[in-house]
Amino acid sequence: MQNIRNIAIIAHVDHGKTTLVDKIIHASQIFRENQQFQDLILDSNDLERERGITILSKNVSVRYKDAKINIIDTPGHADFGGEVERVLKMADGVILLVDAFEGPMPQTRFVLSKALALGLIPIVVVNKVDKENCRPDEVQESVFDLMFNLDATEDQLNFFTLYGSAKDNWMGPDWKNPTDSIFPLLDAILEYIPAPKIEEGSLQMQITSLDYSNFVGRIAIGRVKRGKIVENQQIALCKSDGTIKKMRVKELQVFEGLGRVKVAEVPAGDICAVMGVEDFEIGDTISDPDTPEALPRISIDEPTMNMLFTINNSPFFGKEGKFVTSRHLRDRLYKETEKNLALRVEPTDSEDKFLVYGRGILHLSILIETMRREGYELQVGQPQVIFKEIDGVKCEPIELLVVDVPQETAGKVIELATQRKGELTVMEPKGDLQHLEFRIPARGLIGLRNNVLTATQGEAIMNHRFSAYEPFKGTIPGRINGSLISMENGPCTAYAIDKLQDRGVFFVDPGDDLYAGQVVGEHSRDNDIVVNIQKGKKLTNMRASGSDDNVRIIPAKKFSLEESMEYIQKDEYLEITPKSIRMRKIYLDENERARMAKKES
């Protein structure tokens, strides 16, 4: 039996998890000296690199002294909580990473509560002690308070704390005396994280993750709980509906460094990849064919938001994307549910529309962004919060919103949050910032980030996580301004935009190709109006002095994908193609819009 440690690294987004894993990888000398590599080795996905966040959990392993340490890097966003919940099942302990200035944040609480509930032993690392204004000792105390509030056991509360800076490559027991390496952390892992508990009995392994290879198809990844798994062995797959399927293991691989190596057998306690298992889902159990026993399923928090996904039926359909039909859309969405546990897809009464349920705007936008990069064209409707009836009362999801904001703009943030039924629960100074905590309906968060960033000149730091379902809080005012809608098809002109600037703010630039019914701007009033943005200047050979000034246009307002999703109204779609994101009315024809509005009222 090898000397093994299985640890997950958990932290709030941007507290330095992936950087710390980088340093551990370098310290264990996995790379040859002349090998080239980038920073943030594990954030290998393009989207992760661009946004600077971890979206998918990853496995690596390092060798230190006579032990093998399997490390699982997890996402920090609560929107990707499904990823965290399933991979924590593979770990025996966690490294809780906390920023020495910010301290425990809402999503630290979220992932930590999951780890403590599974009985995992924590090591606390107070990172970024090189930051100015940092307060490592206070942060360590607040972590203790947080664990106490989360009902940690005596063993869990008796955690070991290290201080350091992953960026500067050091860790140590005292933040005032920096060491010169990251090895104290690896020593602490061997000392404080227990080796896997091995139960007596026949083979049991729960599938907690999956990979895909063009050569062997789907690969099941998980930790062997008891017994051992051997190449060419016959196994039983226990599925969610209670059925048991017999199959044979074709190949086994264990994690070594950043890759995987083929092995003949894997003992209990180690994490491995199994080829040859077909038709499995995450949460299924691989067990002995003679005495098949299923492990308890992985429980995942329910989705709190849904969106309508439909095929692109705009006049520009099929111009930019490869995959445009409802069959393409259906296959891609159902394929995503295989590995994205927190996502659910339901068909509607229409063949080309699907309801997709997720954890929040970010969770759904990452799926949409991934699809458009793969060449899909689609349209999505306004995000809707999922209501539930509990004991005969209509309830809605309530989120805990945390905002750190400069003192002088705190009043504006409180005003914006309370307008959306937010309830201020905590207000205290934190360094030179004001720390505000609200309980706010999830509906109230849609579109709030933009307004808060505008009101605070971009200086607010906002985080939120799901708290609980509570009775419905009443109507929340949505977007106050109406839309400017294009009247005709064709490119817009600078002349027309110039003449219409007093009507509102435009989202398009001169020369952009538009179609009738496309939303081209925000009206300065609360109603929608149709504008002729394609009108050109009448050319004559007469010139009047003074009337031919140069056209001066305010730059177009551009939205990111998440901002657009939060911006659209109930009667609008977001058209998403590999090259463009356009807002449009569901009914492009003005008369049809008026008819439908009458029908609804």
Side-chain angles (χ1 to χ4, degrees):
M1 172 66 202
Q2 286 180 311
N3 189 2
I4 294 176
R5 298 288 186 277
N6 296 317
I7 56 157
I9 296 191
I10 58 175
H12 182 78
V13 64
D14 217 20
H15 279 195
K17 292 183 297 298
T18 308
T19 306
L20 179 64
V21 178
D22 273 12
K23 301 302 180 190
I24 294 174
I25 288 169
H26 292 315
S28 58
Q29 296 177 330
I30 287 173
F31 294 112
R32 299 189 307 275
E33 280 182 23
N34 62 349
Q35 203 167 339
Q36 296 294 313
F37 43 80
Q38 295 171 290
D39 283 346
L40 302 180
I41 300 158
L42 291 197
D43 281 353
S44 49
N45 175 324
D46 287 347
L47 267 177
E48 292 181 316
R49 287 197 167 276
E50 283 165 31
R51 290 169 182 250
I53 59 172
T54 302
I55 296 168
L56 303 167
S57 57
K58 324 275 191 324
N59 295 47
V60 291
S61 85
V62 297
R63 298 264 175 189
Y64 180 64
K65 295 189 174 167
D66 61 342
K68 175 185 181 184
I69 303 172
N70 286 316
I71 301 169
I72 306 156
D73 183 21
T74 63
H77 271 282
D79 277 31
F80 308 115
E83 287 283 315
V84 179
E85 285 162 9
R86 62 187 173 82
V87 296
L88 285 179
K89 282 263 185 152
M90 295 197 274
D92 296 297
V94 290
I95 292 178
L96 174 66
L97 203 64
V98 190
D99 185 300
F101 171 68
E102 291 185 347
M105 298 288 279
Q107 279 141 20
T108 318
R109 184 188 184 103
F110 172 80
V111 285
L112 182 61
S113 64
K114 301 285 176 201
L116 295 178
L118 286 169
L120 304 181
I121 300 294
I123 289 177
V124 173
V125 173
V126 179
N127 192 24
K128 304 191 181 182
V129 296
D130 52 333
K131 257 190 178 180
E132 51 188 87
N133 297 337
C134 68
R135 41 196 191 96
D137 297 327
E138 279 176 53
V139 165
Q140 201 263 0
E141 282 170 28
S142 55
V143 171
F144 181 88
D145 293 343
L146 174 60
M147 287 203 194
F148 184 77
N149 293 336
L150 291 173
D151 296 330
T153 62
E154 285 289 324
D155 285 352
Q156 289 170 330
L157 283 174
N158 200 11
F159 57 82
F160 181 69
T161 307
L162 281 160
Y163 301 89
S165 165
K167 197 175 79 180
D168 295 340
N169 199 21
W170 71 270
M171 289 285 151
D174 181 2
W175 63 278
K176 292 172 186 148
N177 297 319
T179 61
D180 57 358
S181 76
I182 207 118
F183 292 129
L185 174 60
L186 296 175
D187 290 326
I189 291 171
L190 296 189
E191 186 175 345
Y192 295 101
I193 302 288
K197 286 193 187 79
I198 310 300
E199 295 175 25
E200 290 299 312
S202 56
L203 167 67
Q204 256 189 336
M205 167 183 155
Q206 187 157 39
I207 298 170
T208 48
S209 194
L210 63 83
D211 199 358
Y212 184 81
S213 147
N214 291 332
F215 304 107
V216 294
R218 294 170 75 216
I219 300 168
I221 297 172
R223 171 180 152 182
V224 183
K225 191 161 190 304
R226 66 180 200 204
K228 64 178 180 183
I229 189 164
V230 183
E231 200 175 17
N232 286 327
Q233 169 187 6
Q234 196 177 23
I235 52 153
L237 183 70
C238 307
K239 299 189 64 62
S240 55
D241 55 5
T243 56
I244 292 171
K245 293 189 170 178
K246 301 270 176 85
M247 45 193 80
R248 192 170 289 282
V249 175
K250 286 187 183 151
E251 193 178 313
L252 287 173
Q253 293 178 345
V254 292
F255 291 88
E256 277 294 338
L258 296 177
R260 294 197 296 251
V261 292
K262 188 178 169 186
V263 289
E265 65 173 56
V266 180
D270 205 352
I271 296 171
C272 68
V274 184
M275 286 102 195
V277 183
E278 288 162 19
D279 191 29
F280 65 84
E281 293 167 10
I282 288 174
D284 289 353
T285 305
I286 291 175
S287 63
D288 185 71
D290 302 328
T291 53
E293 277 180 80
L295 285 160
R297 306 285 300 178
I298 299 169
S299 63
I300 294 286
D301 285 355
E302 289 290 299
T304 55
M305 200 167 269
N306 68 19
M307 278 178 93
L308 185 74
F309 278 53
T310 176
I311 56 167
N312 185 10
N313 59 1
S314 81
F316 293 166
F317 142 84
K319 281 189 175 178
E320 297 174 356
K322 272 194 303 195
F323 308 111
V324 294
T325 65
S326 58
R327 180 178 60 83
H328 286 136
L329 185 61
R330 182 192 298 107
D331 292 351
R332 179 65 182 82
L333 288 174
Y334 280 111
K335 187 179 165 202
E336 185 68 25
T337 57
E338 290 180 358
K339 61 177 188 293
N340 195 335
L341 281 198
L343 198 80
R344 282 215 317 267
V345 178
E346 284 181 10
T348 61
D349 48 10
S350 163
E351 272 296 299
D352 49 21
K353 290 182 179 163
F354 304 90
L355 267 181
V356 179
Y357 294 79
R359 281 281 182 86
I361 296 272
L362 185 66
H363 186 205
L364 293 165
S365 75
I366 293 289
L367 166 64
I368 294 167
E369 182 63 46
T370 309
M371 286 173 71
R372 72 184 278 233
R373 290 182 183 208
E374 290 169 4
Y376 285 83
E377 268 191 27
L378 66 150
Q379 293 184 142
V380 296
Q382 186 189 35
Q384 302 291 334
V385 163
I386 300 167
F387 296 104
K388 280 185 183 175
E389 196 160 298
I390 303 171
D391 300 333
V393 179
K394 183 183 180 185
C395 293
E396 64 174 332
I398 301 292
E399 304 253 342
L400 178 72
L401 170 68
V402 176
V403 188
D404 290 331
V405 65
Q407 197 96 29
E408 56 276 12
T409 49
K412 291 179 186 170
V413 174
I414 294 170
E415 188 185 341
L416 285 168
T418 46
Q419 277 171 1
R420 291 164 174 255
K421 301 280 190 269
E423 185 188 315
L424 182 65
T425 55
V426 176
M427 182 175 180
E428 58 191 22
K430 180 176 178 182
D432 52 355
L433 298 175
Q434 196 73 23
H435 176 79
L436 308 171
E437 289 186 19
F438 301 89
R439 291 181 66 75
I440 186 169
R443 293 174 298 142
L445 286 172
I446 297 174
L448 180 66
R449 183 179 295 270
N450 270 351
N451 298 350
V452 166
L453 290 176
T454 306
T456 59
Q457 286 97 44
E459 291 193 10
I461 302 163
M462 277 178 72
N463 292 289
H464 57 89
R465 68 173 179 86
F466 171 70
S467 173
Y469 267 87
E470 289 181 10
F472 183 66
K473 299 277 190 264
T475 52
I476 291 176
R479 193 176 94 205
I480 302 159
N481 300 55
S483 301
L484 299 175
I485 304 160
S486 172
M487 184 187 283
E488 296 172 13
N489 300 339
C492 62
T493 64
Y495 175 77
I497 292 178
D498 182 44
K499 293 283 176 270
L500 291 164
Q501 281 192 120
D502 57 340
R503 288 301 176 93
V505 180
F506 282 92
F507 308 153
V508 290
D509 292 310
D512 285 357
D513 220 359
L514 308 175
Y515 53 80
Q518 185 174 335
V519 174
V520 294
E522 182 180 282
H523 191 198
S524 53
R525 303 206 174 150
D526 61 359
N527 59 325
D528 293 350
I529 61 165
V530 178
V531 293
N532 184 352
I533 198 171
Q534 285 85 1
K535 191 167 88 174
K537 186 175 180 186
K538 296 284 176 282
L539 298 178
T540 68
N541 59 357
M542 300 291 286
R543 289 285 177 272
S545 67
S547 65
D548 270 352
D549 287 346
N550 289 339
V551 173
R552 287 197 180 89
I553 298 175
I554 299 164
K557 184 177 181 181
K558 297 295 180 192
F559 289 94
S560 70
L561 176 58
E562 281 105 59
E563 287 167 348
S564 316
M565 287 161 68
E566 292 186 336
Y567 183 81
I568 56 174
Q569 298 279 44
K570 222 176 6 210
D571 62 341
E572 291 168 356
Y573 275 158
L574 199 57
E575 178 192 348
I576 294 149
T577 72
K579 293 181 185 164
S580 332
I581 296 174
R582 303 183 189 95
M583 297 180 213
R584 53 159 283 186
K585 289 291 177 186
I586 294 177
Y587 301 106
L588 297 177
D589 180 63
E590 193 181 350
N591 298 326
E592 198 177 350
R593 278 201 300 277
R595 204 165 54 243
M596 286 301 172
K598 241 182 222 163
K599 216 187 252 182
E600 281 180 17
S601 60

